[in-house]
Amino acid sequence: MSTSEPSASSNFARDLVAADRAAGKHGGRVVTRFPPEPNGYLHIGHAKAIVLNFGIANETSGGMCHLRFDDTNPTTEDPEYVQAIQEDVRWLGFDWHDKVLYASDYFEQLYAFAIVLIKKDKAYVDSLTADQIREHRGTLTEPGRDSPYRTRSADENVNLFARMRAGEFSDGAHVLRAKIDMGSPNINLRDPILYRIRHATHYRTGTAWCIYPSYDFAHPLSDAIEGVTHSLCTLEFEDHRPLYDWVVAEADTAHRPQQIEFARLNLTSTVMSKRKLLELVDKKLVDGWDDPRLPTLKGLRRRGVTPEAIRAFCEHIGVAKRDAIVEMPLLEHFIREDLNKRSPRVMAVLRPLKVVLDNYPEDVVEELDAVNNPEDVSAGTRKVPFSRTLYIEQDDFREDPPKQFYRLAPGREVRLRYGYIIKCVSATKDPQTGTVTELHCTYDPETKSGSAQEQRKVKATIHWVSASHAAIAAIRLYHPLLLTDQAKLPVEQDWTRSLNPQSLELLTGCLVEPSLRSAAPGSRFQFERQGYFCVDSDSSPEALVFNRTVSLKDAWAKVEKAHQAFQR
RNA sequence: UGGGGGAUCGUCUAGCGGUAGGACGCCGGCCUUUGGAGCCGGCUACCUAGGUUCGAUUCCUAGUCCCCCAGCCA
């Protein structure tokens, strides 16, 4: 990777880990883990956790970060996601050094730990129904009540739990619960469920088990089994920490991991919850998990965003405990910053307007020298064909130019990038609609780029393509997925009503310079004066498709907006 | 109204008793064969009220506001 990464910024979690290490806690070892449940695709919120966990491990000598699948719920998980998650973590640029681990690999050990708890009278089999358990749990302000089964003997519990495992009971008939305190003000401590019966096929263990450990039991013990020192998770688990500590203490594990919580990432104008993402995909409101409008890693990748940009963004936003909503323009900034340095420049006309150079010979084609990347001289130059009939951007011509509009207008001059200065002589209009269909211009032969003779300056330089040489392409422009911030989404009414109906804008008949004909899917370019684009996976040499990753900053758009605001 | 957390520029974040800094954004300017990039300058913040202290964003007290928790999800 040539892109320089910002040095890891200080944050409370890093400081905590560093302090523990300095104090010799855990023998100075640092082991973290990224523990997704394989029930969906990773998004940029996960990237924050990945960058944090792998980052802390990587910057510590001898540090290690495990990739662990928290696959304790057979009804929601699928190997498809295991595969996809590994791809995404690898794509982001992280390496788990063979430590792909699965909570399901610990089922036998976890069962043994459960027996330990039962024998210590710290867990019991409850035979209440789910509804009854809920009733007994109390409320936020009222304490819960003990289950009548809470006093079963250890022997009876061991026996019952073994029979649960053996498959003697149907789903929901019994659960294993921790015996803590039904009167605790912390609801998580009111005898939380440790195991439930699920006669379901697990994608890895098949039908070997019909009882499955809950998160609250499996997670702390998995961390302990793996020797995880610092278990970083999001804020909503803060009040599970006493339970986390209780479980490892009562199970008397050799190693005691420490849970640290941080705020999850929120971004404006998009959705990040698994539920909402799934809804968009299921209802076909987007084009699958890799729809470029989605904040999924697959979506961002297809859109043309680089892993370096995502990493830089994640480092920059920091890690703290306060709830925050990061503005999308910040992400866009890091995408532009990265792409600016690495993207070859090309010319592409999104909304073509025909231009005929009346004084340019009909049978001549010049090969003009174009710079591939002004940010990187080693990227070299290429030839771009120039001829009498060209296309320019519709936006680059105004019949009646407003103030501060420097581009083409009747009688005005602009430079054609890498070519000549041209002057607009006349505009042909459709007699029906009045729209401009064609421009007639003259070129000034003395002003060819690179020729030192003519140093005449014009206010604007515009991009263009040669009509007979250009390749036709379809271009997809992406706009915000949501018209409102996710934090402000209506809770009760259908949130999908806040979706932007224009989030995808499809342009066809776009004209791109001929060098793009052979562009491979995934390759990225800057379309000069427009933005960063990448070749979509749907693209082929016969039918080119580009996705706009992000637009360039547009100073004129601001000026124009200010004009409009002034006029109102 | 129980418990757990959190409040610093519009946004994200730093600060660990001693001039409130950075980034995005926004506004000017320079530069420019991308109205891009780059460069220069400017903008705006310590939730409130008390207290401790020579000195408080930081420590203490009391409020206020925001977030999370009542799945046999994670």
Side-chain angles (χ1 to χ4, degrees):
Chain A
M1 300 293 150
S2 59
T3 313
S4 64
E5 305 262 334
S7 57
S9 55
S10 152
N11 63 56
F12 85 96
R14 279 196 159 96
D15 293 349
L16 254 162
V17 172
D20 283 351
R21 187 157 180 270
K25 202 167 166 183
H26 308 295
R29 297 270 305 164
V30 171
V31 180
T32 58
R33 100 273 91 112
F34 173 63
E37 183 187 15
N39 68 348
Y41 285 83
L42 262 26
H43 54 65
I44 193 165
H46 294 108
K48 176 179 179 177
I50 292 168
V51 168
L52 211 217
N53 278 294
F54 281 93
I56 285 177
N58 290 165
E59 71 207 20
T60 309
S61 70
M64 177 69 81
C65 181
H66 302 170
L67 173 62
R68 180 175 78 232
F69 290 97
D70 255 2
D71 52 357
T72 57
N73 185 352
T75 60
T76 59
E77 296 150 9
D78 193 289
E80 172 198 348
Y81 299 120
V82 172
Q83 189 58 38
I85 288 168
Q86 292 190 50
E87 275 172 24
D88 285 347
V89 175
R90 208 175 284 123
W91 175 74
L92 254 191
F94 295 101
D95 182 1
W96 46 84
H97 301 99
D98 296 330
K99 290 288 189 186
V100 191
L101 304 168
Y102 299 84
S104 53
D105 280 346
Y106 311 139
F107 281 170
E108 195 62 56
Q109 287 174 84
L110 262 15
Y111 181 84
F113 278 125
I115 298 292
V116 169
L117 293 197
I118 293 170
K119 287 184 172 166
K120 287 173 72 177
D121 195 30
K122 294 293 182 183
Y124 62 98
V125 174
D126 196 354
S127 308
L128 254 26
T129 66
D131 283 346
Q132 290 170 322
I133 286 177
R134 191 181 323 116
E135 284 164 28
H136 279 71
R137 188 153 33 224
T139 68
L140 294 179
T141 51
E142 301 158 41
R145 287 149 35 225
D146 287 1
S147 162
Y149 301 101
R150 199 175 198 264
T151 52
R152 288 215 254 234
S153 71
D155 284 350
E156 188 184 0
N157 283 321
V158 169
N159 180 261
L160 237 24
F161 190 49
R163 291 172 62 198
M164 281 168 65
R165 175 180 181 170
E168 289 188 29
F169 308 113
S170 58
D171 288 7
H174 309 280
V175 289
L176 184 74
R177 290 231 252 171
K179 188 184 281 193
I180 307 180
D181 178 9
M182 288 307 291
S184 173
N186 181 347
I187 293 182
N188 296 294
L189 263 19
R190 317 238 264 232
D191 291 8
I193 282 151
L194 268 22
Y195 269 88
R196 68 281 205 190
I197 300 171
R198 281 261 214 288
H199 289 275
T201 303
H202 187 280
Y203 77 98
R204 291 188 78 242
T205 59
T207 53
W209 294 85
C210 63
I211 56 172
Y212 291 90
S214 65
Y215 166 87
D216 282 316
F217 188 66
H219 200 91
L221 293 174
S222 299
D223 285 344
I225 289 167
E226 294 179 12
V228 168
T229 57
H230 302 272
S231 181
L232 291 121
C233 64
T234 43
L235 247 29
E236 66 268 28
F237 294 106
E238 258 176 331
D239 45 20
H240 290 238
R241 194 185 337 129
L243 176 54
Y244 182 104
D245 292 340
W246 184 93
V247 170
V248 290
E250 295 298 344
D252 201 25
T253 57
H255 172 78
R256 301 293 167 84
Q258 173 189 357
Q259 176 178 303
I260 301 167
E261 309 86 7
F262 64 93
R264 65 180 337 130
L265 171 65
N266 293 294
L267 268 177
T268 57
S269 69
T270 189
V271 289
M272 216 90 96
S273 87
K274 211 171 261 183
R275 196 207 100 215
K276 290 194 176 81
L277 256 12
L278 189 67
E279 192 175 343
L280 290 174
V281 173
D282 281 352
K283 290 186 176 171
K284 304 213 181 298
L285 296 167
V286 296
D287 181 29
W289 285 99
D290 65 346
D291 187 299
R293 288 168 289 182
L294 259 21
T296 53
L297 262 20
K298 296 247 180 270
L300 291 166
R301 178 184 191 170
R302 186 171 182 184
R303 185 161 172 160
V305 176
T306 62
E308 289 82 359
I310 294 173
R311 277 188 260 137
F313 170 75
C314 288
E315 288 293 355
H316 180 89
I317 56 173
V319 179
K321 296 196 73 136
R322 70 184 83 103
D323 298 307
I325 305 175
V326 178
E327 290 175 337
M328 194 60 90
L330 185 63
L331 207 210
E332 292 173 349
H333 162 79
F334 284 98
I335 296 170
R336 287 192 190 99
E337 187 177 68
D338 184 44
L339 259 17
N340 175 48
K341 281 177 267 171
R342 69 206 303 170
S343 305
R345 272 60 171 171
V346 293
M347 292 196 285
V349 175
L350 305 200
R351 298 172 179 88
L353 173 61
K354 190 175 178 183
V355 171
V356 179
L357 302 178
D358 293 333
N359 62 338
Y360 195 89
E362 292 203 31
D363 51 354
V364 170
V365 174
E366 285 186 83
E367 294 286 330
L368 304 178
D369 288 309
V371 175
N372 285 332
N373 187 349
E375 301 285 319
D376 177 11
V377 285
S378 71
T381 61
R382 68 185 185 288
K383 298 287 187 187
V384 184
F386 182 86
S387 63
R388 176 183 162 95
T389 306
L390 312 168
Y391 283 96
I392 65 165
E393 208 69 55
Q394 286 170 21
D395 283 351
D396 286 339
F397 173 79
R398 285 293 184 84
E399 196 179 10
D400 186 17
K403 228 179 243 174
Q404 295 179 78
F405 183 85
Y406 306 145
R407 282 111 94 151
L408 210 52
R412 291 218 191 158
E413 288 186 319
V414 294
R415 175 174 285 282
L416 293 178
R417 182 82 158 145
Y418 307 120
Y420 300 90
I421 290 177
I422 63 167
K423 181 176 198 165
C424 178
V425 176
S426 66
T428 307
K429 288 203 271 188
D430 182 317
Q432 305 294 319
T433 62
T435 53
V436 176
T437 53
E438 185 176 315
L439 261 30
H440 283 267
C441 300
T442 55
Y443 86 111
D444 181 347
E446 302 298 304
T447 58
K448 185 173 178 179
S449 280
S451 66
Q453 302 98 303
E454 177 61 89
Q455 293 301 320
R456 196 146 61 85
K457 302 278 184 198
V458 286
K459 281 276 215 176
T461 298
I462 66 172
H463 61 278
W464 52 273
V465 293
S466 168
S468 57
H469 300 88
I472 299 172
I475 298 181
R476 299 168 182 159
L477 306 181
Y478 301 105
H479 302 286
L481 189 59
L482 234 46
L483 294 172
T484 179
D485 291 349
Q486 58 175 345
K488 293 172 188 143
L489 285 178
V491 182
E492 291 308 323
Q493 57 166 280
D494 182 9
W495 69 275
T496 61
R497 282 161 59 182
S498 300
L499 286 170
N500 178 4
Q502 264 100 253
S503 57
L504 171 63
E505 185 181 1
L506 179 64
L507 264 28
T508 55
C510 308
L511 298 170
V512 303
E513 66 169 67
S515 70
L516 250 20
R517 244 183 264 270
S518 56
S523 47
R524 306 180 183 91
F525 301 90
Q526 184 196 93
F527 288 2
E528 291 208 43
R529 303 207 304 132
Q530 306 271 6
Y532 298 96
F533 293 75
C534 76
V535 183
D536 190 75
S537 45
D538 287 349
S539 189
S540 68
E542 298 73 39
L544 291 168
V545 181
F546 292 89
N547 297 327
R548 184 170 70 189
T549 309
V550 64
S551 67
L552 245 28
K553 286 207 272 184
D554 186 350
W556 165 245
K558 275 182 192 171
V559 173
E560 197 174 29
K561 204 175 165 188
H563 281 317
Q564 287 164 0
F566 182 72
Q567 281 163 15
R568 250 185 276 122

